[in-house]
Amino acid sequence: MIAAQPQVARKVESPIGDRVPGRHEDAGRHPGLIRWRFGWIKTPEGAAAAYIAIMARPQDILMPTPAGLCCPLGGFHIDPVRPVERAVITHAHSDHARSGHGAVLATAETLDLMRLRYGPNFAGQTQALRYGETLRLGEVSVSLHPAGHVLGSAQVAVSYGGLRIVASGDYKDALDPTCTPFEPIRCDVFITEATFGLPVFRHGDAVAEVAKLLASVRLFPERAHLVGAYALGKAQRVIALLRAAGYDAPIYLHGAMEPLTRYYQSRGIALGELRAVKDASKAELAGQITLAPPSATSDLWTRRFPDPLTAFASGWMRVRARARQRGVELPLVISDHADWDGLTATIKASGAGDIWVTHGQEDALVHWCKTLGLAARPLELVGYGEEDDDDAQPAAEAATS
């Protein structure tokens, strides 16, 4: 029985930037005043917009570098792929959140999850920022906004000189009871992921996919159902969907799922009765649902299950060839990324005239943007996309899960 809640050891958080009290209005949006490198300058009436256009260009605020997206004016990187002095982290998946940075700014949940995964000393110092709160970093203002991807995930809004750039990180616009829903943010430049940036990727209804799993459990009551799902976010969402569908039997977890899932429960997310696979006999697992990292479902670990039936919850299960390659009997098209319709709708909702596309099917989305008359370009950042199989398991996790 998994009951004990995790005690996340928090370091004393040090201020990385200066909080801006109250509702923040970007200084550059006030007519007649422009924030310059050393203070304020007055401009002729009606000329502020033209001066700002000369002074603040998007590429001066954020630019791609080998370490990741960099903000020179703020002295930080967003989701850097190598250790840097200051990092703003969008969420705790291992392809975006790495250890070894001098200072990390993120939501409290992302910082907690990073501590669970990498240990209490994953960064020199940390600072938590609430959704909608504004922080001054160097010469820019930074705020975090819900991304709807996993617990604590955030979009990063960077404002300077009358321009606002929003870096989405990973996001989805589908409902998910395990995290704060995605919030569209109006901006001048929108940096969007494109993991599923092809028209063929339309994820459909996650509720219907869970119904397929429950139908299989009823049809094959003698078989153990092993559901491959990423340990952070996807596993907890699948559990929540099962509970919402009325499934109240115990759900069994691979050891990689336990600490992260207990943390979700500690944040008030109801997931019902959960049990550790290692505590169950082979006979007990017949007719039950077990969640495990995708790699574990094709591992020797599966020998403990009676006649296992393998499922995999992923947006990639839309591609049947991938399901066959993995030996998946029951593909479940459940994704924590926006599909083609979600990506295009979000771009429109942003109001941005300039779209930068990163990590995924960049070319197709860039082409779509240009057909609408939007400026668009691929960023071609590397090091993202392989999120959280079991390559970044919590330190306390036993190999004999």
Side-chain angles (χ1 to χ4, degrees):
M1 182 87 173
I2 299 175
Q5 302 302 316
Q7 298 298 315
V8 179
R10 285 189 173 89
K11 293 177 66 177
V12 176
E13 295 187 346
S14 304
I16 296 168
D18 300 319
R19 281 182 166 80
V20 178
R23 180 178 174 84
H24 177 71
E25 296 290 342
D26 186 73
R29 297 187 187 275
H30 292 290
L33 287 175
I34 299 177
R35 175 68 172 168
W36 187 235
R37 189 173 300 271
F38 302 109
W40 295 92
I41 60 172
K42 258 188 136 25
T43 66
E45 187 175 352
Y51 280 30
I52 289 171
I54 295 172
M55 293 160 51
R57 301 175 303 169
Q59 59 268 36
D60 296 329
I61 301 171
L62 286 175
M63 58 186 295
T65 70
L69 203 57
C70 176
C71 178
L73 295 174
F76 64 87
H77 290 74
I78 298 174
D79 293 347
V81 298
R82 62 184 66 167
V84 298
E85 183 178 346
R86 293 200 294 183
V88 178
I89 302 298
T90 62
H91 65 284
H93 277 148
S94 59
D95 59 332
H96 289 255
R98 292 168 168 84
S99 61
H101 304 306
V104 170
L105 176 72
T107 63
E109 293 86 353
T110 292
L111 294 175
D112 282 346
L113 290 164
M114 291 180 73
R115 291 185 187 98
L116 279 173
R117 312 197 81 189
Y118 301 125
N121 299 314
F122 71 90
Q125 58 178 312
T126 61
Q127 183 171 347
L129 195 63
R130 296 186 298 271
Y131 290 136
E133 185 178 14
T134 298
L135 194 73
R136 177 70 68 178
L137 289 177
E139 299 178 43
V140 303
S141 296
V142 175
S143 57
L144 302 181
H145 306 270
H149 181 55
V150 298
L151 184 61
S153 61
Q155 305 170 78
V156 181
V158 182
S159 300
Y160 173 78
L163 286 178
R164 171 183 282 176
I165 302 179
V166 171
S168 71
D170 290 340
Y171 67 96
K172 68 174 181 292
D173 57 348
L175 291 177
D176 181 347
T178 67
C179 63
T180 304
F182 176 83
E183 177 184 315
I185 304 299
R186 302 285 291 185
C187 56
D188 302 290
V189 180
F190 184 54
I191 305 175
T192 180
E193 65 138 315
T195 302
F196 292 104
L198 289 173
V200 68
F201 290 114
R202 289 180 163 90
H203 298 325
D205 185 5
V207 172
E209 296 300 297
V210 165
K212 286 165 48 178
L213 172 60
L214 293 176
S216 181
V217 172
R218 291 192 295 271
L219 186 62
F220 303 108
E222 74 287 355
R223 301 186 69 182
H225 283 63
L226 307 186
V227 181
Y230 295 123
L232 171 57
K234 183 68 64 62
Q236 296 77 26
R237 185 183 180 202
V238 169
I239 294 170
L241 287 168
L242 285 166
R243 299 310 188 196
Y247 185 77
D248 58 3
I251 294 175
Y252 289 84
L253 300 180
H254 184 282
M257 307 293 187
E258 293 180 36
L260 300 172
T261 304
R262 289 200 300 269
Y263 178 74
Y264 268 65
Q265 291 178 307
S266 77
R267 302 298 295 183
I269 298 168
L271 298 176
E273 183 181 354
L274 305 174
R275 297 180 182 178
V277 168
K278 62 187 177 186
D279 298 331
S281 68
K282 191 169 186 175
E284 288 178 298
L285 296 171
Q288 304 299 316
I289 295 174
T290 297
L291 273 74
S295 63
T297 61
S298 58
D299 189 78
L300 294 177
W301 178 80
T302 63
R303 291 183 178 179
R304 69 183 68 198
F305 296 91
D307 193 14
L309 185 154
T310 302
F312 185 23
S314 170
W316 295 112
M317 291 298 96
R318 179 66 65 193
V319 182
R320 297 302 180 183
R322 289 208 175 201
R324 289 193 297 271
Q325 289 167 2
R326 284 181 170 268
V328 174
E329 290 185 63
L330 183 61
L332 303 173
V333 184
I334 302 175
S335 178
D336 284 336
H337 294 265
D339 63 4
W340 176 261
D341 291 335
L343 292 169
T344 54
T346 301
I347 289 170
K348 290 179 180 178
S350 74
D354 197 353
I355 309 298
W356 301 353
V357 186
T358 183
H359 58 281
Q361 306 293 332
E362 299 174 351
D363 292 343
L365 201 55
V366 166
H367 175 75
W368 177 87
C369 290
K370 289 181 176 179
T371 64
L372 295 187
L374 302 174
R377 67 184 182 104
L379 288 188
E380 299 175 344
L381 297 174
V382 297
Y384 305 97
E386 295 300 322
E387 65 184 30
D388 290 346
D389 190 334
D390 52 351
D391 58 340
Q393 297 176 8
E397 184 181 304
T400 57
S401 301

